[in-house]
């Protein structure tokens, strides 16, 4: 630590006004405040003193993502060897997954932070840590087989057009990680959906893919045939095909616990999204007998609780719907927002075969609607309080 | 008699040359500070619909140019005859007849493109740029100026169309004017590393592309940024 401090102090003069590298001050500032508590203090006014700042918030979320990341690495390896019909040890599976996943994480961070730094230097902003979470989320919501340059391009799109255009961290309308995924989904549909992309089936000499093997996700199977061969227990543990970080409900629940205990994720959004999902699931169960085709009937008849552990529902409502920037801000707004995210997610899943997973669309759509919800919540509050004032005047 | 000729001479001297500075401005302004799409934000609808490929975009740009220039001249010639109350109907009749002419010509000579543009040729009638120029310019200026204004604005519209279509065709399908630009061997299916970006074929990407052009333009010319 002392070494870092001395190093920072020694290069500081270059970055201050008049120094050689004056233009790169935001970069210096970003590193310095990342490592140490900022040296400057507020000059006037009353301030809330709190140990938690943006950096600590972001780091907490990244920590909460670690279980999902580690499980994702193992699952990539597990699915790969399962598809090849080989049995290897735990560490071999994990290592295979790590070799696939770590480059995606590195690319996501390198490209995203590079753009963020460049924009901060050009616009002379402070560097914010907003990308720390986004950079971790993006690889976790991508299929394992996607080429790295597609990840990089999605990151460019999300950071530049999802965030910097609107004014940088804290100003974005849409969740940047989901913007990246939506971009990849529409730009390269054959690498983002279907049965082939969720499991790495690259073979070396002497290896071959097992006969009758299917790489479809639970939702993919449901959308085409109306039933899934994967057991609920596997879905809960997460040893099923899917995007890297989304499969394991257990790992996500650990992350959710971290977010809730530290108070960083909004329990209102998570809980109401859960309620929304359950509500829509129950409605579908109820109307299932009236569906026209047998596939649709059995898809609608899927027990409502299974919807909660399939696909990206859990991951989405824990890590993405709760994004404090793009979610609703008011307390009542959060309930409405969360509920509709859950509701729409299940609805898109069941009704639209083109989008087997609805959670991305549901959250992006509600991101757009969040300011509207807030507006009406605030208006309603003002109206209610006005009424109270008038009543008092009358009785007085 | 001598006085009259003198007055005429004087008038002749005062007459503007055909391409005076003012007239040249009519042609050049729509390219930067007064672009119909990026500054006035008119005609967005067709900019989204027909820019998937470059060739239809060029045809569309030329069609709009013909309609706008001819329409501007006709309206300008009639500007003192048109009763103010029914001027919109008169303008519509003029533009509708011109569009029908253009449509027939396209059908006769470039049938494929005409089919591709489908309803959007007919919809030139409702292109806000055309009615906008009739109202804002041709009703108050002479035929030559109106002609230049029509050419300028249609060119400003066309250049954006062509820029957007260039990138959409190149990145969306790897072609330009129907010719393969990106080598086949680059594609992932053929063992390469590249894949066409399907997002560029969808209308939202055209909107984003127009947005990026507006962004670049405004960061170069800060006067365009509204204060609020």
């Amino acid at each position: 630590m002392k070494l870092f401090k001395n190093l920072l102090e020694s290069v500081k003069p270059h970055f201050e006004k008049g120094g050689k590298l004056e233009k790169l001050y935001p970069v210096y500032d970003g590193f310095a405040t990342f490592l140490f508590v900022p040296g400057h203090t507020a000059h006037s006014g009353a301030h809330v003193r709190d140990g938690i700042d943006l950096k600590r918030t972001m780091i907490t979320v990244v920590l909460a993502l670690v279980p999902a990341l580690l499980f994702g690495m193992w699952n990539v390896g597990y699915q790969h060897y399962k598809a090849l019909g080989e049995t290897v040890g735990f560490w071999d599976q994990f290592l295979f997954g790590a070799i696939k996943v770590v480059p995606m994480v590195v690319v996501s961070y390198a490209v995203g932070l590079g753009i963020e730094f460049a924009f901060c230097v050009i616009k002379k902003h402070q560097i914010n840590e907003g990308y720390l979470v986004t950079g971790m989320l993006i690889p976790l919501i991508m299929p394992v087989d996607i080429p790295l340059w597609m990840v990089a391009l999605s990151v460019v799109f999300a950071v530049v057009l999802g965030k910097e255009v609107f004014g940088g961290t804290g100003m974005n309308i849409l969740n940047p990680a989901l913007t990246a995924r939506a971009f990849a989904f529409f730009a390269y549909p054959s690498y983002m959906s279907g049965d082939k992309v969720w499991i790495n089936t690259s073979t070396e000499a002497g290896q071959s893919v097992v006969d009758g093997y299917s790489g479809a996700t639970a939702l993919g199977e449901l959308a085409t045939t109306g039933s899934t061969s994967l057991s609920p227990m596997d879905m809960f543990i997460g040893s099923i095909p899917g995007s890297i970080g989304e499969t394991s409900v257990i790992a996500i629940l650990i992350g959710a616990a971290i977010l809730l205990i530290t108070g960083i994720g909004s329990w209102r959004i998570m809980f109401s999204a859960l309620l929304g999902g359950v509500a829509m699931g129950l409605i579908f169960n109820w109307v299932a007998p009236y569906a026209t085709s047998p596939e649709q009937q059995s898809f609608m008849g899927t027990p409502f609780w299974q919807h909660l552990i399939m696909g990206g529902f859990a991951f989405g409502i824990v890590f993405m719907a709760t994004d404090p920037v793009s979610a609703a801000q008011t307390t009542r707004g959060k309930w409405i927002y969360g509920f509709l995210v859950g509701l729409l997610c299940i609805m898109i899943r069941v009704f639209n075969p083109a989008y087997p997973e609805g959670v991305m669309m549901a959250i992006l759509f509600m991101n757009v609607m969040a300011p509207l919800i807030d507006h009406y919540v605030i208006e309603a509050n003002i109206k209610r309080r006005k009424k109270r004032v008038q009543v008092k005047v009358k009785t007085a | 008699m001598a006085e009259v000729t003198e007055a005429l001479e004087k008038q002749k001297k005062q007459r503007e040359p055909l391409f005076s500075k003012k007239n040249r401005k009519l042609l050049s302004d729509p390219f930067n500070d007064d672009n119909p799409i990026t500054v006035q934000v008119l005609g967005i609808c067709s900019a989204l619909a027909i820019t998937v490929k470059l060739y239809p975009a060029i045809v569309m740009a030329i069609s709009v140019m013909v309609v706008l220039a001819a329409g501007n001249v006709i309206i300008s010639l009639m500007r003192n005859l048109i009763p103010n109350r029914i001027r919109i109907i008169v303008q519509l009749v003029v533009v509708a007849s011109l569009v029908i002419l253009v449509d027939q010509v396209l059908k006769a000579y470039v049938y494929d493109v005409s089919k591709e543009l489908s309803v959007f040729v007919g919809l030139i009638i409702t292109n806000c740029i055309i009615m906008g120029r009739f109202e804002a310019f041709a009703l108050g200026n002479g035929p030559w100026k109106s002609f230049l204004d029509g050419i300028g604005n249609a060119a400003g519209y066309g250049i954006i169309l062509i820029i957007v279509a260039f990138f959409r065709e190149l990145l969306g399908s790897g072609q330009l004017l129907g010719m393969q630009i990106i080598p086949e061997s680059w594609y992932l299916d053929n063992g390469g590393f590249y894949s066409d970006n399907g997002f560029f074929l969808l209308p939202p990407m055209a909107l984003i592309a127009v947005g990026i052009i507006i962004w670049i333009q405004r960061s170069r010319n800060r006067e365009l940024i509204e204060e609020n």
Side-chain angles (χ1 to χ4, degrees):
Chain A
M1 272 291 124
K2 196 140 199 191
L3 180 83
F4 283 122
K5 185 135 200 158
N6 289 338
L7 193 72
L8 279 174
E9 286 298 329
S10 68
V11 296
K12 195 176 179 189
H14 295 303
F15 291 102
E16 281 177 335
K17 260 214 162 100
K20 268 187 289 184
L21 301 167
E22 187 191 331
K23 280 202 176 132
L24 292 176
Y25 181 74
V27 177
Y28 166 80
D29 188 60
F31 276 114
T33 51
F34 184 73
L35 291 168
F36 298 101
V37 175
H40 48 78
T41 50
H43 296 295
S44 64
H47 296 275
V48 179
R49 288 180 63 88
D50 194 339
I52 192 147
D53 59 359
L54 190 62
K55 288 188 172 70
R56 195 161 300 177
T57 312
M58 293 299 175
I59 281 297
T60 314
V61 183
V62 172
L63 285 179
L65 281 167
V66 167
L69 175 73
L70 292 179
F71 187 91
M73 287 182 184
W74 170 77
N75 192 38
V76 166
Y78 171 74
Q79 296 294 340
H80 171 74
Y81 287 113
K82 194 176 162 197
L84 296 184
E86 291 179 16
T87 40
V88 294
F90 173 82
W91 286 110
D92 280 338
Q93 291 170 342
F94 187 81
L95 197 69
F96 181 86
I99 290 168
K100 292 282 163 205
V101 177
V102 170
M104 288 171 80
V105 178
V106 171
V107 164
S108 158
Y109 271 119
V111 175
L113 287 178
I115 296 171
E116 197 117 316
F117 275 44
F119 265 92
C120 286
V121 169
I122 293 168
K123 295 195 157 180
K124 301 191 178 64
H125 283 177
Q126 258 192 336
I127 288 170
N128 274 311
E129 292 66 31
Y131 193 73
L132 288 184
V133 171
T134 311
M136 184 60 93
L137 282 173
I138 289 173
L140 288 184
I141 53 178
M142 296 279 183
V144 61
D145 259 357
I146 190 165
L148 287 178
W149 66 268
M150 288 182 190
V151 178
L153 206 62
S154 311
V155 168
V156 171
F157 182 85
V159 175
V160 175
L161 290 176
K163 209 158 93 170
E164 294 301 340
V165 161
F166 297 104
T169 304
M171 304 292 202
N172 42 308
I173 302 172
L174 302 171
N175 182 310
L178 281 177
T179 313
R181 192 179 199 280
F183 175 81
F185 184 83
F186 287 110
Y188 307 108
S190 52
Y191 298 92
M192 286 297 290
S193 52
D195 299 347
K196 306 266 184 296
V197 298
W198 310 107
I199 298 175
N200 182 296
T201 50
S202 58
T203 47
E204 285 162 25
Q207 292 178 318
S208 66
V209 177
V210 183
D211 285 342
Y213 137 90
S214 155
T217 61
L219 284 166
E221 286 183 344
L222 276 170
T224 46
T225 63
S227 63
T228 174
S229 53
L230 300 161
S231 77
M233 200 59 211
D234 282 344
M235 292 181 202
F236 188 68
I237 295 167
S239 53
I240 53 169
S243 295
I244 292 167
E246 70 169 16
T247 55
S248 170
V249 179
I250 294 179
I252 293 163
L253 282 179
I254 297 171
I258 297 173
L259 289 184
L260 292 179
I261 289 166
T262 52
I264 283 169
S266 161
W267 66 269
R268 288 186 183 89
I269 294 177
M270 286 189 210
F271 185 61
S272 57
L274 200 68
L275 284 183
V278 170
M280 200 67 221
L282 284 174
I283 292 173
F284 275 133
N285 284 355
W286 181 49
V287 299
Y290 309 106
T292 43
S293 70
E295 285 94 26
Q296 195 74 336
Q297 238 174 44
S298 80
F299 194 179
M300 281 185 179
T302 313
F304 69 91
W305 52 269
Q306 263 194 31
H307 273 296
L308 308 180
I309 54 175
M310 279 191 298
F313 183 82
F315 193 84
I317 66 168
V318 169
F319 293 111
M320 322 266 241
T322 54
D323 172 3
V325 178
S326 53
Q329 310 287 326
T330 50
T331 308
R332 198 170 302 171
K334 281 179 184 166
W335 283 102
I336 301 169
Y337 165 89
F339 188 79
L340 287 175
V341 166
L343 198 85
L344 285 173
C345 169
I346 309 298
M347 201 196 287
I348 297 169
R349 266 183 193 179
V350 176
F351 275 154
N352 197 334
Y355 307 122
E357 175 53 300
V359 73
M360 170 177 84
M361 298 296 173
I363 295 175
L364 283 175
F365 183 70
M366 289 317 293
N367 280 170
V368 176
M369 291 295 149
L372 192 73
I373 297 174
D374 280 340
H375 173 78
Y376 281 108
V377 167
I378 292 169
E379 287 284 300
N381 196 31
I382 292 172
K383 223 182 235 168
R384 212 185 57 237
R385 294 184 67 165
K386 258 190 187 156
K387 230 184 210 163
R388 205 156 60 199
V389 172
Q390 280 163 354
V391 168
K392 262 189 189 166
V393 170
K394 262 183 203 165
T395 50
Chain B
M1 198 58 192
E3 278 169 16
V4 175
T5 44
E6 207 171 286
L8 272 176
E9 290 272 291
K10 212 173 179 185
Q11 212 183 0
K12 233 179 196 173
K13 263 182 201 163
Q14 275 177 348
R15 236 181 174 181
E16 280 186 271
L18 275 183
F19 288 98
S20 65
K21 205 171 179 193
K22 238 173 158 179
N23 283 350
R24 269 189 317 225
K25 233 175 130 52
L26 288 176
L27 273 178
S28 65
D29 259 4
F31 278 99
N32 43 49
D33 292 355
D34 207 18
N35 189 287
I37 293 188
T38 61
V39 179
Q40 299 169 15
V41 196
L42 298 173
I44 289 285
C45 182
S46 54
L48 305 190
I50 49 101
T51 49
V52 177
K53 293 222 155 23
L54 190 53
Y55 191 47
I58 294 172
V59 172
M60 184 72 174
I62 295 169
S63 311
V64 169
M65 192 179 275
V66 169
V67 172
L68 188 51
N72 252 0
V73 171
I74 294 171
I75 293 289
S76 169
L77 286 171
M78 300 200 303
R79 69 185 188 279
N80 297 325
L81 304 172
I82 303 173
N84 202 25
R85 286 185 147 191
I86 58 160
R87 66 178 195 284
I88 300 280
I89 296 174
V90 174
Q91 288 165 9
L92 273 177
V93 171
V94 169
V95 68
S97 14
L98 286 169
V99 166
I100 289 169
L101 281 179
V102 166
D103 195 22
Q104 295 301 322
V105 171
L106 288 185
K107 272 186 187 151
Y109 292 100
V110 276
Y111 186 66
D112 296 343
V113 180
S114 156
K115 254 173 105 181
E116 210 165 322
L117 290 172
S118 67
V119 66
F120 287 97
V121 176
L123 282 178
I124 295 178
I125 299 170
T126 56
N127 193 326
C128 327
I129 297 171
I130 291 178
M131 295 297 277
R133 288 334 286 174
F134 285 1
E135 278 283 298
F137 199 89
L139 278 177
N141 288 287
W144 174 244
K145 277 193 174 173
S146 300
F147 177 73
L148 291 181
D149 181 78
I151 296 281
N153 273 285
Y157 165 82
I159 196 88
I160 301 294
L161 237 60
I162 288 168
I163 293 173
V164 173
F166 176 84
F167 285 108
R168 283 184 76 187
E169 189 174 0
L170 182 64
L171 300 173
S173 41
Q175 300 175 334
L176 279 180
L177 293 171
M179 279 183 299
Q180 191 69 30
I181 295 291
I182 294 177
E184 292 282 359
S185 59
W186 285 16
Y187 284 93
L188 274 163
D189 297 338
N190 304 340
F193 59 91
Y194 185 77
S195 173
D196 283 331
N197 192 326
F199 197 24
F200 275 84
L201 300 176
L202 304 172
M205 197 62 211
L207 192 67
I208 291 169
V210 171
I212 292 172
I213 295 173
I214 293 177
W215 184 21
I216 294 170
Q217 193 182 15
R218 288 186 174 209
S219 60
R220 290 172 63 129
N221 186 355
R222 303 219 147 243
E223 281 168 26
L224 292 174
I225 301 171
E226 299 95 347
E227 282 174 33
N228 50 3

